[in-house]
Amino acid sequence: MAAPIDAEEVLARFEELSVLESEFEDAELELIRKSTALNQPLWNKRAEIVAKIPHFWTLVLEQIPVELETFIQPTDFKLFTECLQTIEVSRFEIDDPKGSPRSFSIKFGFGENEYFFNKELEKKFWYRKSKDWAGLVSEPVKIVWKKGKDLTGGLTDAAYELAQAKKTLAKSSGGKAKAKAEAELPEYKALATKIEENTEGAPSFFTWFGFVSSYKCISPEESEEAEKEERERIEKLKRGEKLDDEEDEEDDEIDYQETEVFPQGDECATLLAEDMWPSALRYYKQAHEADDEDLSEIDVDDMDEDDSDGEIDIRGLVGKGRSNASASPPSKKQRKA
Amino acid sequence: MAAPIDAEEVLARFEELSVLESEFEDAELELIRKSTALNQPLWNKRAEIVAKIPHFWTLVLEQIPVELETFIQPTDFKLFTECLQTIEVSRFEIDDPKGSPRSFSIKFGFGENEYFFNKELEKKFWYRKSKDWAGLVSEPVKIVWKKGKDLTGGLTDAAYELAQAKKTLAKSSGGKAKAKAEAELPEYKALATKIEENTEGAPSFFTWFGFVSSYKCISPEESEEAEKEERERIEKLKRGEKLDDEEDEEDDEIDYQETEVFPQGDECATLLAEDMWPSALRYYKQAHEADDEDLSEIDVDDMDEDDSDGEIDIRGLVGKGRSNASASPPSKKQRKA
C-alpha cells in the first residue's frame, strides 16, 4: 500500500474527529448551562443555610483533595479561620452570546482582619481562545494589604501594577499593545525580578489573585477572532471542502510566563469552581463524620458563634474527622448516605 | 448561652443540609440523564470513526492521567497493543426506575490473542446503597485464560468461583445468605489465601474484572430498601417531623475486603467511565500532538493497518507525543484548540 494514500486516510480521520470534537464541545456547553440552571437555586439555598454555620467554608477548605490543598499554605488557613465568611462561584457569562459558559468568578467574603482591608475579593476567569490554545485567563485583583502583613511578599501588588501599566499602554497605542512593548515597561521588569527573587517556600494562596494566564493573556477580540476562524474551519470540514494551508503565526519570542506570579492559577481556580464548590456539603460532612461519633456528642461549645474570637481550634475539630476519613477515604464519586 | 440550645441549632442545620443534599443528588441524576442523551449520538459517531483507526483505544490508554495509569501494568499494555479493539461505556440503568443513572458498564472488545479466549469482556457496575454507604458494586467476570497465560495468577478465577458459590448458597437459603455463612465457603478461604499470597508487584489490570465492592456486596433488594428509608427520612425532615432514633445495625464482624481482589476497583472504573471515556478524543490527540510536528509529517507507515502484526512500536509512537505534552501538560479542563 502506497504511503501517500494512507496519509490522506489518516488526514481524513483527523478531519472527521475535528468536526466531532466541536460537536462534543457544543454538548458540553449545553450541559454547563443545564447544570447551572438546575443547581443555582440549590446553591442559593445552601448559601442561606451555611451563613448560619460558623467556619463552614474554612472547614470545607480543610477537606479538599490534595491537588488543591497544595495551593493553600498553613498561614492562609490561619487567615481563613480568622475571617473567611463566604465563598461564591458564578458563571457570569452564561447568558452572554459573546461570552462562554466556561467563564466563572470566585468571590471570597471576609470579616475584619489583621491582613488586608478588602471585605471582598473577587477573581474572574474568562474562557478564551487563541489559534493554538484555549483556557482560562484572568486579571490581577488589588489586595489592600495592611502594613507588614502582605502574605505574597509584594507579588500581588507588582502583578496588579503591571496589569494597569499594560492597560495604559494599550490605550495609548489604540488597541492591544505588542508583547515586546509590554516587556519594556518598568513594571514588567519589576515583577519579573520580584518573581525571580521569590523562590523560597510555597507561595501563599493569595498570590493566586495576581494570576493572569498559564499561556498568555488573550483579549476578548483575539478570542472572538480565533473562535470565528475555528467555526469557519469546522463548517468547511462539514461541507467536505479542503482547508487552506495554515500559516504559522510569527512567534514574538517573549516568555509570557516570566511575569506570571501563580503559574497553575487556572488549575487552582478550576479545582475551586468545579470540585470544592459543587462538593462543599460533602467536604463539610467529611469534617464532621467520625465513625463512632454521634451528632449529639459533638462538643457544641466549639461551634458556638459567640466563641468565635479566633481561639477556636478549627484544625483540631477537623483533624478529628480527617483522621477517621483517611482510614477509608470515600472515593470522589461516592458519597456516604 | 446554654449548650443544649446550640446542640439543637447544630442539629437543625444538619437536617436542613440533609434535605438540600438530596435535592443536589436529584439534580445530579437529572444531569447524568441529560449528558447521556446529548452525548450518546456523538459517542456512537465516534465509535464509527475510531473503528477505522488502528490502536485508537490503546493510544488513548497510553495518555490517561497517572491516577488511572497506576492500575495498568506494562504487561497489560502489551496485551492491549496486541489485541484491544473497542471500548464501550453505557449507562444501562438510565431509564430503569428501579436502577440508577450512576450505574454503568464498560465493555472491552478483543481480537484473537495469546492470553484468553474471550472476544469481549464486559464489567457491570451497579450504584447501590446501604444504610451507611453508597457506591458502585460489581460481579466477577469470567476470563477464560489460555494455559499458562493468566496475568492475574488465578485471582479472577478464584473471585468468579466464590461469586458462583455465594449465589448457590443464597438460592439454597431462600434469599441473601448471611455473611458469616459465606465466609465458611471453601471458595472463600481459597480466595482469601490466594490474595494473601499474591502480594508481590502491582496486580494486572485484568484482576479488576474480579472486583466486587470496596465496601461489601449489596443486593438490589437491600439497596432498594435503603433508598426507600432514605427518601422517607428526607420527607419527614421536609415536613419538619422529628426523626426516630436510629438503631445501629449489628455489625456481623466480617472483613469484607478479605476477598476483594482489586480494592480500588470502583475508583478505577469511575476513572475509566468518567474521565477516559468522555475525554478519549483529547487523549488520542495528545498522543499525536507534538509542537513542531505537522500532521503531514507523521510517518504513516507506523499507522498502516496492514502492518499490525504486533511489531508496531505503539509506545514509541506515543512516547513522542508524551514527552512534548509533559513539557506543558494541558490541564484537565482545558483543551488545545
Side-chain angles (χ1 to χ4, degrees):
Chain A
M1 211 182 269
I5 297 170
D6 294 320
E8 269 178 35
E9 270 289 305
V10 170
L11 200 64
R13 292 294 91 74
F14 266 82
E15 289 177 351
E16 286 180 90
L17 291 179
S18 285
V19 174
L20 185 57
E21 238 187 335
S22 82
E23 292 171 343
F24 271 119
E25 171 69 3
D26 290 342
E28 178 69 21
L29 297 183
E30 174 72 20
L31 275 175
I32 297 176
R33 287 194 198 93
K34 178 81 181 168
S35 168
T36 307
L38 272 171
N39 283 304
Q40 195 58 58
L42 303 179
W43 288 327
N44 296 345
K45 206 164 157 184
R46 184 180 69 181
E48 272 176 46
I49 300 172
V50 307
K52 293 176 251 166
I53 303 176
H55 301 294
F56 176 85
W57 290 106
T58 304
L59 286 159
V60 167
L61 288 173
E62 291 269 357
Q63 294 290 313
I64 48 173
V66 67
E67 310 97 85
L68 182 51
E69 206 188 13
T70 49
F71 295 120
I72 309 179
Q73 308 315 317
T75 40
D76 302 321
F77 274 114
K78 192 169 165 291
L79 189 160
F80 289 147
T81 306
E82 191 181 323
C83 63
L84 175 63
Q85 289 175 342
T86 55
I87 299 182
E88 199 183 318
V89 171
S90 71
R91 302 261 165 193
F92 60 93
E93 292 191 328
I94 200 135
D95 297 318
D96 177 355
K98 285 196 173 187
S100 167
R102 291 189 186 276
S103 300
F104 57 78
S105 89
I106 310 180
K107 193 158 74 184
F108 295 78
F110 298 96
E112 200 70 54
N113 67 76
E114 57 176 303
Y115 301 93
F116 46 69
F117 291 99
N118 312 60
K119 283 284 176 305
E120 205 173 274
L121 291 173
E122 179 172 16
K123 181 105 180 128
K124 284 184 158 190
F125 292 85
W126 291 268
Y127 187 77
R128 299 221 175 117
K129 288 181 180 178
S130 77
K131 236 182 151 154
D132 52 5
W133 186 84
L136 296 166
V137 301
S138 185
E139 279 179 6
V141 172
K142 176 75 183 165
I143 304 180
V144 190
W145 295 104
K146 293 187 178 176
K147 214 183 159 203
K149 290 295 185 176
D150 183 346
L151 295 177
T152 74
L155 283 173
T156 42
D157 282 349
Y160 182 77
E161 276 148 31
L162 173 58
Q164 295 310 104
K166 279 186 186 178
K167 276 186 191 173
T168 311
L169 182 68
K171 259 183 212 158
S172 72
S173 56
K176 198 176 175 285
K178 287 267 173 219
K180 218 166 169 181
E182 290 181 349
E184 278 160 15
L185 290 166
E187 289 85 355
Y188 186 100
K189 183 140 237 145
L191 178 54
T193 310
K194 210 169 250 311
I195 290 172
E196 239 187 276
E197 289 166 1
N198 258 280
T199 51
E200 261 173 70
S204 156
F205 168 72
F206 287 86
T207 316
W208 172 80
F209 285 98
F211 171 79
V212 173
S213 170
S214 63
Y215 170 55
K216 65 176 180 179
C217 193
I218 296 165
S219 69
E221 296 75 26
E222 200 178 338
S223 186
E224 217 179 300
E225 182 61 27
E227 172 77 28
K228 211 180 117 212
E229 275 176 31
E230 170 73 10
R231 291 273 160 199
E232 285 171 0
R233 207 175 68 85
I234 296 297
E235 286 311 315
K236 270 194 185 175
L237 287 176
K238 278 186 185 170
R239 293 192 302 263
E241 285 174 34
K242 233 180 117 59
L243 295 181
D244 306 324
D245 280 339
E246 283 176 39
E247 273 172 61
D248 276 342
E249 249 172 73
E250 249 178 89
D251 200 350
D252 37 24
E253 285 173 30
I254 299 291
D255 176 6
Y256 296 108
Q257 289 302 297
E258 201 181 9
T259 52
E260 180 46 64
V261 292
F262 205 89
Q264 292 170 283
D266 46 358
E267 205 183 315
C268 174
T270 301
L271 287 166
L272 284 170
E274 297 183 358
D275 180 344
M276 185 282 291
W277 172 252
S279 305
L281 286 191
R282 181 162 58 82
Y283 291 135
Y284 178 69
K285 278 181 79 181
Q286 238 166 262
H288 282 282
E289 262 165 14
D291 280 337
D292 303 306
E293 188 183 67
D294 190 294
L295 187 58
S296 58
E297 289 164 20
I298 288 179
D299 183 356
V300 286
D301 280 339
D302 274 359
M303 305 186 69
D304 188 340
E305 202 150 1
D306 291 349
D307 244 8
S308 58
D309 52 9
E311 284 178 34
I312 295 175
D313 180 12
I314 292 286
R315 297 198 144 239
L317 184 64
V318 177
K320 205 174 170 190
R322 189 166 254 184
S323 64
N324 273 286
S326 72
S328 127
S331 89
K332 280 199 189 179
K333 297 287 160 183
Q334 290 164 14
R335 307 156 320 103
K336 276 211 164 190
Chain B
M1 209 183 268
I5 297 171
D6 295 320
E8 269 178 33
E9 271 288 305
V10 171
L11 201 63
R13 293 293 91 75
F14 267 82
E15 288 177 351
E16 285 178 88
L17 291 179
S18 286
V19 173
L20 185 58
E21 238 187 336
S22 81
E23 292 170 342
F24 272 118
E25 171 70 3
D26 290 343
E28 177 71 21
L29 297 183
E30 175 71 19
L31 275 175
I32 297 175
R33 285 192 199 94
K34 177 82 181 168
S35 168
T36 307
L38 272 172
N39 283 305
Q40 194 59 58
L42 303 179
W43 289 326
N44 295 346
K45 207 164 156 184
R46 184 179 70 181
E48 272 175 46
I49 300 173
V50 308
K52 293 176 251 166
I53 302 176
H55 303 294
F56 177 86
W57 290 106
T58 304
L59 285 159
V60 166
L61 288 173
E62 292 269 358
Q63 294 290 315
I64 48 174
V66 66
E67 310 98 85
L68 182 50
E69 206 189 13
T70 49
F71 294 120
I72 308 179
Q73 308 315 318
T75 39
D76 301 322
F77 274 114
K78 191 168 167 291
L79 188 160
F80 289 147
T81 306
E82 191 181 324
C83 63
L84 175 64
Q85 291 176 340
T86 56
I87 300 182
E88 199 182 320
V89 171
S90 70
R91 302 264 166 191
F92 61 92
E93 291 191 330
I94 200 135
D95 297 318
D96 177 355
K98 286 197 171 184
S100 167
R102 292 191 185 276
S103 300
F104 58 78
S105 89
I106 310 180
K107 193 158 74 185
F108 295 78
F110 298 95
E112 199 70 53
N113 68 75
E114 58 177 299
Y115 301 94
F116 46 69
F117 292 99
N118 312 59
K119 284 283 176 302
E120 204 174 273
L121 290 173
E122 180 172 14
K123 180 103 180 131
K124 284 184 157 190
F125 292 85
W126 292 268
Y127 187 77
R128 299 220 175 118
K129 288 181 179 178
S130 77
K131 235 180 154 158
D132 51 6
W133 187 85
L136 296 167
V137 300
S138 185
E139 280 179 6
V141 172
K142 177 74 183 166
I143 304 180
V144 189
W145 295 103
K146 292 187 178 176
K147 212 181 162 207
K149 291 293 186 177
D150 184 346
L151 295 177
T152 74
L155 282 173
T156 42
D157 281 350
Y160 183 78
E161 275 149 30
L162 173 58
Q164 295 310 102
K166 279 185 184 178
K167 277 187 188 172
T168 311
L169 182 68
K171 259 183 212 159
S172 72
S173 55
K176 195 173 178 288
K178 288 266 173 220
K180 218 166 168 182
E182 290 180 351
E184 278 160 16
L185 289 165
E187 289 85 356
Y188 186 100
K189 184 142 238 145
L191 178 54
T193 310
K194 209 168 252 308
I195 290 172
E196 239 187 274
E197 289 166 359
N198 259 280
T199 50
E200 262 173 72
S204 157
F205 168 73
F206 288 86
T207 316
W208 172 81
F209 286 98
F211 171 79
V212 173
S213 169
S214 63
Y215 171 55
K216 66 176 180 179
C217 194
I218 296 166
S219 69
E221 296 76 26
E222 201 177 339
S223 185
E224 217 180 301
E225 182 63 27
E227 172 78 28
K228 211 180 119 215
E229 276 176 30
E230 171 72 10
R231 291 273 160 198
E232 285 171 0
R233 206 174 68 86
I234 296 297
E235 286 310 315
K236 271 194 184 175
L237 287 176
K238 279 186 184 170
R239 293 191 302 262
E241 285 174 33
K242 233 180 115 60
L243 295 180
D244 306 325
D245 281 338
E246 282 178 38
E247 274 172 60
D248 277 341
E249 249 172 70
E250 251 179 88
D251 199 351
D252 37 24
E253 285 172 33
I254 299 291
D255 175 7
Y256 295 107
Q257 290 301 298
E258 199 181 12
T259 52
E260 180 47 64
V261 292
F262 204 89
Q264 292 170 283
D266 45 359
E267 205 183 314
C268 175
T270 301
L271 287 167
L272 284 169
E274 296 182 359
D275 181 343
M276 185 281 292
W277 173 253
S279 305
L281 285 192
R282 182 162 57 81
Y283 291 135
Y284 178 69
K285 276 181 81 181
Q286 237 166 262
H288 284 281
E289 260 166 14
D291 280 338
D292 303 306
E293 190 183 66
D294 190 296
L295 186 60
S296 58
E297 289 164 20
I298 288 179
D299 183 358
V300 288
D301 280 339
D302 274 0
M303 304 185 71
D304 188 341
E305 201 151 4
D306 291 349
D307 244 9
S308 59
D309 52 9
E311 283 177 35
I312 294 175
D313 181 12
I314 293 287
R315 299 200 141 236
L317 183 64
V318 177
K320 204 174 171 191
R322 188 167 254 184
S323 63
N324 273 286
S326 72
S328 126
S331 89
K332 279 199 189 180
K333 296 286 158 184
Q334 290 162 13
R335 306 155 322 105
K336 277 211 166 191

